[in-house]
Amino acid sequence: MTADQEFADRYGPWAVIVGASNGVGEAYARLVAELGINVVLLARRQNLLDEVAGAIIADFGVETRVLSVDLTSSTAADDILGVTADLDVGTLMYCAGAESEVRAFFSISLDHARGLVHRNCVVPLELCHHFGPRMAERRSGAIVLVSSAAGLHGMANMVTYAGTKAFDIVFAEALWAELHGRGVDVLCPVLGATDTPAYREVLAEAGVLSGPEDTAPIPGAVSSEETAAEIIANLGNGPVWPVSQVLRDRLDQLGRLDRNEAARVLLSAVSSTPDEP
């Protein structure tokens, strides 16, 4: 049996990938499809999902399913479970939740903050509760919950986002503790600066780039393809994996500080000062 066949047997025959329309989610979908796993592609924008699905079918010949879903909706998890009900799912990869509102907590709407909590905490919890026992029963599979370095320390202008990503990290650690002895790999990749369309939009709003379509290299950023490849290579190295040596070095430096000291160091990491409440 080849390495590709072993991978497909362990983590297939279907992978559910949330946030698959571009960036890391799309790159992950393409890599597992290349290894012979069928993919369910989930995101908000139907036209982008259709393009990704068409390219994957043409390039790798696997099966695909597509669902346009609003992850802030109360029915999001039910919609996903409905479209996957007849599938043998060996991988859940949740890569949604980039923050578009990088500004003071008191200047964003409560609805936006609630939506972040639902998208980054409630929906992955519901999906893990559904797929996890099925993977444990067959004693194989992978759950990948993508988080952010913002979830490791509180940062100004990312209050709710950082809190939800902290939830993802601790949730994944605890889930790993329950499932790693039952044949299921649980991994929480922690991402730093990653060259994705969503990150380019944030940088364009901040005036760092001329616009979202600006193709100038982002200093220190890791590509989506490199990120997805590193995640796949470390599925068994959970529960938490900081992606890229640059991020690992940075976290090593912050790890020498207590939490209060780290919070003060990171106060300068956000470009603008929070508004007064």
Side-chain angles (χ1 to χ4, degrees), residues 213-233:
E213 305 305 319
D214 187 343
T215 58
I218 302 172
V222 184
S223 74
S224 296
E225 292 74 20
E226 290 170 323
T227 299
E230 190 167 331
I231 292 170
I232 287 174

Side-chain angles (χ1 to χ4, degrees), residues 3-16 28 32-33 35-40 62 87-92 131 134-135 138-143 183 185 235:
D4 288 2
Q5 289 171 327
E6 289 180 5
F7 185 93
D9 285 347
R10 176 157 181 73
Y11 300 117
W14 283 88
V16 172
Y28 193 96
V32 297
L35 293 168
I37 294 178
N38 305 310
V39 290
V40 181
V62 299
L87 303 181
D88 184 6
V89 174
T91 294
L92 169 64
F131 290 115
R134 288 158 175 77
M135 295 179 191
R138 69 179 212 170
R139 302 195 67 80
S140 67
I143 294 173
D185 292 328
L235 286 176

Side-chain angles (χ1 to χ4, degrees), residues 175-245:
L175 201 59
W176 175 89
E178 294 194 0
L179 289 176
H180 82 283
R182 303 174 69 184
V184 182
D185 292 328
V186 178
L187 184 69
C188 182
V190 176
L191 275 51
T194 309
D195 191 345
T196 64
Y199 188 47
R200 286 187 172 271
E201 286 178 13
V202 169
L203 293 182
E205 278 221 7
V208 177
L209 297 176
S210 61
E213 305 305 319
D214 187 343
T215 58
I218 302 172
V222 184
S223 74
S224 296
E225 292 74 20
E226 290 170 323
T227 299
E230 190 167 331
I231 292 170
I232 287 174
N234 290 283
L235 286 176
N237 292 328
V240 175
W241 184 265
V243 174
S244 86
Q245 191 59 51

